[in-house]
Amino acid sequence: MKTGSNASSVLLDDTYTLKGEKKASINHHALKGFDIIDQIKNKLESECPGIVSYAEILTVATRDATILVGGPYWHVPLGRNDSKTAGYELATSNLPRANEGLLSMISKFMYQDLSVTDLVALSDFILNVLT
């Protein structure tokens, strides 16, 4: 989604110079598992500092979870860097909320160059796999 940063910037904590997306109201109660991803990131950072990004952790975990439920394997190119920016303001205005009306959600998906089919597929995935 267009938040002015990369998809894994939602994992960035606030710092003195950055207001992360993690605590944005849209994400705060909707996304789960931050602690697990943070544990993985901390372990990897202790073994190989600055090498593995949040984006890579999420991508490899998604691929491996897909395989575990009988889905296909795909090659994951590695070498991404963690974002140095976050889109807190855009995350709070650009991302659809679970309690939003259908037309509003469709509009926000279309703004992201995603289709109604994408909305249905992602909603089904969230409802049936992540909850």
Side-chain angles (χ1 to χ4, degrees):
M1 298 280 179
K2 296 175 185 173
T3 61
S5 55
N6 75 35
S8 63
S9 63
V10 71
L11 294 163
L12 298 176
D13 290 308
D14 293 345
T15 67
Y16 290 112
T17 60
L18 171 80
K19 186 168 187 174
E21 295 171 38
K22 187 185 283 187
K23 293 183 181 172
S25 61
I26 186 95
N27 296 327
H28 189 66
H29 296 291
L31 299 176
K32 301 172 186 171
F34 287 129
D35 55 335
I36 296 167
I37 300 297
D38 284 340
Q39 288 174 21
I40 294 167
K41 177 70 169 171
N42 290 335
K43 179 67 174 167
L44 289 167
E45 284 294 318
S46 71
E47 297 294 324
C48 43
I51 303 297
V52 181
S53 70
Y54 276 118
E56 290 171 324
I57 294 167
L58 291 176
T59 305
V60 170
T62 300
R63 192 251 343 255
D64 292 353
T66 300
I67 292 167
L68 287 172
V69 296
Y73 170 88
W74 66 89
H75 171 71
V76 176
L78 301 175
R80 296 171 181 86
N81 293 316
D82 279 325
S83 180
K84 302 292 184 212
T85 63
Y88 180 89
E89 290 79 18
L90 289 173
T92 58
S93 65
N94 239 12
L95 300 177
R97 297 179 183 280
N99 63 351
E100 258 184 272
L102 180 61
L103 294 179
S104 177
M105 291 179 80
I106 291 170
S107 174
K108 287 185 176 182
F109 265 67
M110 292 179 85
Y111 178 75
Q112 307 295 338
D113 299 320
L114 297 169
S115 68
V116 174
T117 302
D118 296 322
L119 170 62
V120 171
L122 289 168
S123 298
D124 181 63
F125 176 76
I126 290 166
L127 291 172
N128 292 306
V129 177
L130 298 180
T131 57

